[in-house]
């Protein structure tokens, strides 16, 4: 590798390491430039002009805007229905519509639609029975469909209205047509290349496009969506010379720029493009007034409708109709996220209202009944409550009881202050909806976690700083004509609004700054205490009362333990670098699992670490998603149904032959019970040492057992003898429920007859079957069953390639082929990670298993 290559590699590694900070920083910079641009574009506009323009908007225009909003969201539901058709899954319409509507209501408000809306879809569709792979394909489909559809609609509209678009953008119409034609040709070529599901290669990525029917339907859905949403703003604008087709092209461009900027809801970016494009043909004050109404109707109103729907589900005792039952399940999953988005909106509303003037009529009425100090205090405290609500929204989404109490108290106080400081009836109504939603959903906020330990991520910090910056920009715009002086800070009069807004903005900035600094100054990574013998004894007792035989690995005493509050469940984990790697699902009663997952994730974050769940079952994925983790597939677990296992017939003829061959060669099978294991421990040690030497490897740990006398002696050991001498053994892990058994440590002497492994496993399965066990766990086949579809995550595609061509490094295919001899049922196993790529988490897990870097390098 040359020095240039090393420098480039180091630069890429640095970018990857600081990606979580760089992207939010870039978003903040983009927002700063756009706010500066829009402030300059509105230099000749006053706040009063904007208010006048708002008041002149006709009721019929508002009604039409609401109609087009409903039409747009109806078409957005079509995205999800088409995606489900594409992956060949059929779900009930009403629950799908509610999930999709909620996803877009939250995504449009919070921004990062693929993530925020994707989280809604994961929670909703997992309740409806979709697998994580299928949900991922739905999210990928709707994201890609929107992007390509937006590009196509923009190009077609620009092609038709090229002269007008060229005039607005100060470009030659031939350039506009040329660019539009290039885009249309490229998209057409893409569709033709992937005709009827053929695969298309885009760089290193492979993409299988949907069939012609699905593509046609999706284009019509996207066109309807963009046309309807553009019409929302168009009908709110005053009479203009710009025709609807030209406006459609401008609107689509503004939406695309807002999405690409990653600024939450495209705030500022969207407005800048609209104002710049329409400023020469429509009074800017009227454009700004229409944009404010557009944001309320298209962004706030759907969120209010979704939240009111959830409140209605809580208040009504629904019938036992299947649709009602399904909606109740969805409501439980979606309510916290919807309330979190609503809390964000409420916080932003309080912050913005604190820097804008109160109508004179309201101030005159307050002057007669409310003392000035009370008005001033209510105004200032409302702004502080707004930023607190914004911060608490993250905890509301995570169902923290502390966040719920904070939101309830702040909302109730803000409701009171909204009347005391401004008689703001709309604001009061908004807060009443939030307060009712929080109160009727109280039973869902059962997580007794401290709100103050929830360290905000860089993305949340940037979103909060964008809110503060936007509020300051609005303050400067509203009071543009007020000359600044130091005396303004101490000017307390009913009629003096500028000083009041100035003080409120300062309070918001200080609180936001303090929260940001505390969150950025994360504590250094620390190590929790190792488990005591008493902890191990309690964990072993819990394991024996459960069905998961793999959980017996806790007996290795090499993992840390985290118990539930009542001591009935635990998580076993190890720490490598900053990764806190939990092994398997939490062990214990199902009711204890959700809170234990949350506690583990929060403890890792509080200690400066990052949570990883390794080799977990699909049943744990919804709880991991709730905690903000994302899942990647590791492989498949082989499960043999012992109630149907038999060597008769052709299906297992190969195993029957292996069993007969072992008998002919004189192999004798025996299960040594724990009290008798010490008597053969020396022979087992001899076999183990020879096996390690033969394979030029060393003991592993964490997810695998190692040869420790206490561990070996704790459970039964299956042995093979040849002429009275032990030549092979395997430790058997069982629990008292007699549900599942498995094998952990398995070793063979170099002189053991060929085929001894098959013979040993056949005899173990027969022994477990006779003992009354229901199933046998053959262990995981790594990277097995990884998706190769075009919508599959990059991790899956890499894994499938390694599985196919990585035999030089690990016997992936051979291991699965061996397990397949027993005709098992294959169950997927996943790794859930937080804030990092799966490759880093996998590397840390590998180090834990291999005993650190030295162990991995030294095999």
């Amino acid at each position: 590798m040359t020095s240039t290559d090393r420098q480039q590699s180091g630069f890429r590694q640095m970018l990857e390491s600081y990606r979580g900070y760089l992207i939010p920083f870039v978003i903040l910079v983009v927002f700063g430039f756009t706010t500066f641009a829009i402030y300059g574009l509105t230099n000749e506009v006053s706040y009063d002009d904007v208010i006048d323009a708002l008041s002149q908007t006709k009721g019929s225009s508002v009604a039409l805007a609401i109609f087009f909003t409903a039409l747009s969201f109806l078409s957005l539901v079509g995205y999800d229905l088409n995606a489900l058709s594409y992956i060949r899954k059929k779900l009930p319409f009403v629950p799908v519509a509610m999930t999709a509507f909620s996803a877009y209501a939250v995504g449009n408000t919070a921004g990062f639609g693929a993530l925020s809306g994707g989280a809604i879809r994961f929670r909703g569709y997992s309740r409806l029975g979709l697998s994580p792979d299928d949900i991922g394909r739905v999210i990928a489909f709707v994201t890609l469909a929107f992007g390509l559809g937006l590009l196509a609609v923009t190009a077609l509209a620009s092609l038709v209205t090229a002269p007008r678009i060229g005039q607005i953008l100060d470009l030659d119409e031939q350039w506009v047509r040329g660019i539009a034609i290039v885009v249309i040709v490229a998209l057409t070529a893409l569709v033709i290349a992937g005709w009827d599901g053929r695969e298309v290669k885009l760089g290193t990525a492979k993409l299988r496009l949907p069939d012609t029917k699905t593509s046609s339907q999706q284009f019509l859905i996207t066109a309807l969506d963009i046309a309807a949403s553009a019409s929302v703003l168009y009908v709110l604008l005053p009479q203009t010379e710009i025709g609807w087709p030209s406006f459609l092209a401008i609107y689509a461009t503004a939406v695309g720029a807002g999405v690409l900027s990653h600024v939450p809801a495209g705030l500022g970016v969207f407005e800048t493009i609209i104002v710049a494009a329409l400023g020469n043909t429509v009074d800017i004050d009227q454009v700004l007034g229409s944009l404010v109404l557009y944001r309320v109707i298209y962004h706030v109103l759907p969120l209010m409708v979704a939240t009111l729907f959830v409140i209605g589900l809580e208040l009504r005792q629904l019938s036992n109709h299947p649709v009602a039952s399904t909606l109740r399940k969805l409501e439980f999953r979606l309510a916290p996220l919807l309330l979190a988005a609503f809390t964000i909106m409420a916080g932003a509303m309080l912050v913005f209202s604190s820097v804008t003037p109160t109508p004179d009529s309201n101030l005159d009425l307050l002057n007669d009944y409310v003392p000035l100090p009370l008005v001033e205090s209510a105004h200032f405290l409302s702004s502080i409550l707004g930023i607190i609500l914004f911060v608490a929204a993250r905890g509301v989404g995570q169902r923290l009881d502390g966040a719920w109490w904070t939101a309830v108290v702040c909302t109730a106080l803000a409701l009171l202050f909204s009347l005391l400081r401004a008689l703001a009836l709309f604001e009061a109504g908004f807060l009443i909806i939030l307060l009712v939603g929080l109160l009727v959903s109280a039973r869902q906020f059962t997580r007794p976690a401290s709100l103050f330990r929830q360290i905000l991520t860089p993305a949340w910090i940037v979103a909060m700083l964008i809110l503060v910056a936007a509020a300051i920009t609005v303050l400067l715009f509203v009071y543009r004509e007020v000359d600044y002086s130091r005396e303004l800070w101490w000017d307390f009069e009913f009629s003096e609004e500028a000083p009041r807004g100035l003080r409120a903005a300062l309070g918001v900035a200080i609180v936001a700054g303090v929260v940001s600094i505390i969150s950025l100054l994360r504590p250094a990574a620390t190590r929790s205490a190792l488990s005591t013998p008493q902890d191990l004894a309690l964990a072993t007792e819990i394991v024996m009362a459960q069905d998961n035989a793999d959980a017996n690995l806790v007996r290795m005493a090499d993992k840390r333990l985290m118990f539930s509050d009542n001591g009935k469940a635990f998580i076993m984990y190890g720490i490598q670098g900053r990764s806190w790697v939990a092994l398997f699902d939490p062990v214990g009663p199902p009711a204890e699992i959700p809170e234990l997952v949350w506690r583990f994730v929060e403890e890792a974050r509080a200690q400066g670490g990052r949570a990883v769940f390794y080799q977990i079952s699909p049943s744990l994925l919804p709880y991991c998603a709730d905690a903000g983790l994302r899942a990647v597939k590791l492989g498949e677990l082989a499960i043999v149904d012992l109630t149907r296992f038999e060597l008769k017939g052709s299906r297992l003829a190969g195993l029957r032959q292996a069993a007969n061959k072992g008998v002919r060669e004189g192999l004798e099978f025996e299960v040594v019970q724990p009290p008798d294991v010490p008597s053969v421990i020396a022979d087992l040690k001899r076999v183990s040492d020879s096996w390690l030497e033969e394979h030029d490897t060393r003991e592993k740990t964490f997810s695998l057992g190692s040869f420790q006398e206490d561990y070996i002696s704790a459970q039964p050991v299956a042995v093979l003898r040849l002429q009275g001498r032990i030549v092979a053994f395997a430790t058997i892990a069982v629990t008292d429920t007699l549900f599942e058994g498995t094998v952990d440590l398995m070793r063979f002497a170099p002189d053991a007859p060929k085929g001894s492994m098959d013979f040993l496993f056949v005899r173990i399965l027969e022994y477990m079957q006779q003992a009354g066990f229901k199933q046998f766990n053959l262990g995981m086949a790594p990277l097995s069953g990884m998706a190769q579809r075009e919508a599959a995550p990059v991790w899956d595609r890499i894994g499938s390639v390694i599985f196919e061509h990585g035999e030089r490094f690990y016997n992936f295919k051979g291991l699965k082929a061996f397990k397949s001899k027993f005709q098992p049922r294959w169950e997927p196993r996943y790794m859930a990670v937080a804030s990092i790529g799966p490759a880093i988490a996998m590397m840390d897990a590998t180090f834990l298993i291999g005993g650190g870097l030295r162990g991995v390098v030294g095999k």
Side-chain angles (χ1 to χ4, degrees):
M1 179 182 291
T2 64
S3 60
T4 302
D5 292 336
R6 283 194 295 270
Q7 289 175 356
Q8 292 177 346
S9 176
F11 181 70
R12 284 195 297 268
Q13 290 178 0
M14 183 187 72
L15 286 179
E16 184 63 29
S17 300
Y18 292 98
R19 184 171 179 268
Y21 295 92
L22 288 175
I23 291 179
F25 175 75
V26 171
I27 293 172
L28 192 60
V29 171
V30 169
F31 178 79
F33 278 115
T34 56
T35 52
F36 181 79
I38 199 169
Y39 188 79
L41 289 170
T42 59
N43 194 45
E44 303 298 326
V45 179
S46 70
Y47 176 77
D48 291 336
D49 293 335
V50 175
I51 297 301
D52 289 341
L54 272 173
S55 63
Q56 292 171 13
T57 304
K58 297 178 180 178
S60 58
S61 298
V62 174
L64 272 175
I66 294 174
F67 168 76
F68 284 120
T69 297
L71 187 61
S72 174
F73 272 81
L74 182 62
S75 62
L76 288 173
V77 172
Y79 280 79
D80 285 54
L81 293 173
N82 212 31
L84 291 169
S85 174
Y86 171 66
I87 66 172
R88 296 180 176 86
K89 298 292 182 180
K90 188 172 179 59
L91 296 176
F93 173 78
V94 175
V96 169
M98 180 181 174
T99 300
F101 181 84
S102 301
Y104 288 111
V106 172
N108 289 345
T109 302
F112 300 98
L115 298 178
S116 54
I120 289 276
R121 289 186 177 90
F122 194 98
R123 288 156 173 78
Y125 291 142
S126 63
R127 281 281 177 172
L128 298 176
L130 287 191
S131 69
D133 287 345
D134 287 335
I135 297 172
R137 296 175 69 195
V138 169
I139 295 171
F141 182 95
V142 298
T143 303
L144 188 61
F146 175 76
L148 294 178
L150 182 66
L151 194 60
V153 171
T154 306
L156 288 171
S158 300
L159 185 63
V160 174
T161 61
R164 185 60 175 162
I165 296 298
Q167 181 183 356
I168 293 171
L169 300 180
D170 196 22
L171 283 175
D172 187 275
E173 64 178 86
Q174 299 303 323
W175 275 101
V176 176
R177 282 202 178 95
I179 295 172
I181 290 172
V182 169
V183 172
I184 293 170
V185 169
L187 291 176
T188 304
L190 186 64
V191 173
I192 293 174
W195 194 263
D196 286 336
R198 285 183 295 180
E199 198 172 73
V200 177
K201 189 172 183 180
L202 299 175
T204 58
K206 291 183 179 180
L207 175 70
R208 184 179 63 82
L209 292 179
D211 57 50
T212 309
K213 179 181 177 182
T214 305
S215 298
S216 302
Q217 288 177 345
Q218 188 54 56
F219 175 76
L220 293 176
I221 290 170
T222 306
L224 177 60
D225 163 39
I226 298 172
S229 59
S231 298
V232 175
L233 179 56
Y234 188 75
V235 298
L236 293 173
L237 290 169
Q239 293 296 325
T240 172
E241 298 176 1
I242 297 179
W244 184 84
S246 301
F247 179 78
L248 177 64
I250 296 169
Y251 176 87
T253 303
V255 170
V259 171
L260 292 175
S261 71
H262 290 300
V263 175
L267 186 64
V269 179
F270 176 83
E271 283 80 1
T272 300
I273 293 177
I274 294 295
V275 169
L278 303 183
N280 294 329
T281 59
V282 185
D283 290 340
I284 293 181
D285 54 348
Q286 294 179 322
V287 175
L288 290 177
S290 299
L291 284 169
V292 171
L293 266 181
Y294 167 80
R295 287 287 188 182
V296 172
I297 293 173
Y298 194 76
H299 290 259
V300 178
L301 184 60
L303 185 61
M304 291 179 66
V305 171
T307 305
L308 286 171
F309 187 80
V310 167
I311 292 174
L313 288 176
E314 287 280 6
L315 293 177
R316 289 187 58 193
Q317 294 295 324
L318 294 178
S319 66
N320 291 323
H321 190 277
V323 172
S325 176
T326 304
L327 288 178
R328 282 199 299 270
K329 292 179 182 178
L330 283 180
E331 172 267 336
F332 179 79
R333 300 288 288 168
L334 303 185
L337 292 173
L338 287 171
L339 288 173
F342 208 83
T343 305
I344 289 175
M345 292 297 302
M349 178 186 65
L350 290 172
V351 170
F352 285 128
S353 67
S354 68
V355 296
T356 52
T358 303
D360 293 338
S361 58
N362 292 14
L363 280 179
D364 292 339
L365 186 60
L366 287 172
N367 192 15
D368 296 333
Y369 297 99
V370 183
L372 177 61
L374 191 56
V375 172
E376 292 284 0
S377 301
H379 193 98
F380 181 78
L381 291 175
S382 289
S383 64
I384 303 299
L385 291 174
I387 203 69
I388 293 175
L389 275 175
F390 191 90
V391 174
R394 184 167 183 259
V396 170
Q398 296 177 349
R399 297 189 294 110
L400 303 185
D401 61 349
W404 181 85
W405 279 107
T406 301
V408 167
V409 172
C410 289
T411 303
L413 289 174
L415 174 59
L416 175 63
F417 293 160
S418 68
L419 300 176
L420 289 177
R421 66 179 176 82
L423 293 176
L425 298 182
F426 175 81
E427 185 177 304
F430 196 91
L431 292 169
I432 287 173
I433 294 175
L434 175 58
L435 185 60
V436 172
L438 289 168
L439 291 176
V440 300
S441 304
R443 60 190 175 87
Q444 299 187 30
F445 296 88
T446 56
R447 299 191 50 245
S450 171
L451 175 65
F452 300 104
R453 295 182 63 185
Q454 305 305 302
I455 300 173
L456 294 183
T457 61
W460 271 88
I461 293 174
V462 165
M464 182 172 59
L465 295 180
I466 284 176
L467 173 62
V468 175
I472 294 174
T473 303
V474 170
L475 176 73
L476 296 176
F477 170 76
V478 171
Y479 301 109
R480 192 195 299 269
E481 297 177 0
V482 176
D483 294 329
Y484 174 78
S485 67
R486 284 177 293 181
E487 286 73 20
L488 283 175
W489 296 99
W490 313 108
D491 197 347
F492 297 92
E493 294 288 344
F494 263 103
S495 59
E496 295 300 325
E497 295 273 48
R500 199 172 294 140
L502 200 60
R503 290 188 291 267
L506 177 62
V508 167
I510 291 175
V511 173
V514 170
V515 172
S516 301
I517 291 172
I518 292 174
S519 297
L520 290 173
L521 296 178
R522 296 172 181 266
T526 59
R527 296 291 183 265
S528 59
L530 293 172
S531 301
T532 65
Q534 292 78 13
D535 292 335
L536 291 173
L538 176 58
T540 303
E541 182 181 343
I542 295 172
V543 168
M544 296 306 291
Q546 303 301 315
D547 293 336
N548 183 8
D550 272 334
N552 277 285
L553 277 170
V554 74
R555 300 174 185 269
M556 280 286 295
D558 63 340
K559 288 171 275 292
R560 293 170 167 83
L561 300 176
M562 177 182 290
F563 289 92
S564 60
D565 291 336
N566 59 14
K568 294 182 179 180
F570 71 90
I571 287 177
M572 51 181 161
Y573 66 99
I575 300 178
Q576 174 64 41
R578 288 185 57 209
S579 295
W580 289 40
V581 186
L583 182 62
F584 307 137
D585 293 11
V587 183
E592 305 294 324
I593 289 177
E595 181 56 32
L596 202 48
V597 169
W598 274 107
R599 279 189 51 200
F600 180 74
V601 173
E602 290 165 348
E603 183 67 20
R605 289 172 179 166
Q607 298 293 340
R610 50 206 175 197
V612 180
F613 283 87
Y614 184 73
Q615 287 194 34
I616 58 175
S617 68
S619 63
L620 194 69
L621 294 182
Y623 306 117
C624 292
D626 284 342
L629 311 185
R630 64 188 185 94
V632 294
K633 195 170 185 179
L634 286 179
E636 294 178 307
L637 192 73
I639 300 292
V640 177
D641 185 354
L642 294 179
T643 63
R644 299 182 179 181
F645 177 76
E646 58 178 354
L647 295 179
K648 297 178 182 179
S650 60
R651 196 168 61 97
L652 298 180
L655 294 178
R656 185 171 63 251
Q657 294 171 6
N660 294 335
K661 180 174 179 290
V663 172
R664 291 195 302 269
E665 291 181 344
L667 288 175
E668 298 176 352
F669 173 79
E670 178 190 359
V671 175
V672 182
Q673 298 301 325
D676 301 323
V677 171
S679 64
V680 297
I681 199 72
D683 294 330
L684 302 180
K685 183 71 164 58
R686 172 183 52 80
V687 173
S688 177
D689 290 344
S690 63
W691 185 88
L692 292 171
E693 182 178 356
E694 174 74 12
H695 290 80
D696 189 24
T697 189
R698 63 179 68 200
E699 294 283 7
K700 300 296 187 289
T701 181
F702 191 60
S703 67
L704 299 171
S706 61
F707 196 97
Q708 298 177 13
E709 292 190 11
D710 291 344
Y711 177 68
I712 299 294
S713 303
Q715 296 247 280
V717 179
V719 300
L720 288 184
R721 285 189 170 90
L722 183 63
Q723 298 177 353
R725 180 173 57 88
I726 295 178
V727 295
F729 73 89
T731 58
I732 301 176
V734 296
T735 69
D736 291 340
T737 65
L738 299 183
F739 178 78
E740 181 183 80
T742 189
V743 164
D744 176 30
L745 196 66
M746 185 173 61
R747 303 283 163 87
F748 292 84
D751 57 346
K754 187 177 180 181
S756 295
M757 182 185 295
D758 289 354
F759 181 80
L760 177 60
F761 267 89
V762 168
R763 289 292 182 253
I764 290 176
L765 263 65
E766 292 176 334
Y767 167 80
M768 303 294 287
Q769 187 181 51
Q770 294 171 7
F773 285 84
K774 302 297 186 298
Q775 67 180 36
F776 187 81
N777 176 356
L778 281 169
M780 191 177 71
L783 304 184
S784 168
M786 304 292 268
Q788 301 184 38
R789 297 181 292 263
E790 77 290 340
V794 175
W795 172 264
D796 279 39
R797 291 190 293 242
I798 293 174
S800 65
V801 171
I802 296 175
F803 181 81
E804 291 293 329
H805 307 290
E807 294 296 296
R808 175 183 174 184
F809 306 101
Y810 188 85
N811 190 22
F812 296 106
K813 286 187 175 180
L815 184 59
K816 182 167 185 179
F818 170 76
K819 297 177 189 296
S820 296
K821 294 179 184 178
F822 297 87
Q823 299 295 311
R825 177 181 76 254
W826 294 99
E827 295 183 355
R829 286 298 180 266
Y830 297 90
M831 176 174 64
V833 298
S835 73
I836 56 171
I840 299 175
M842 177 61 79
M843 181 179 65
D844 287 339
T846 302
F847 286 160
L848 277 175
I849 296 168
L853 178 61
R854 180 182 176 186
V856 172
V857 174
K859 297 185 179 180

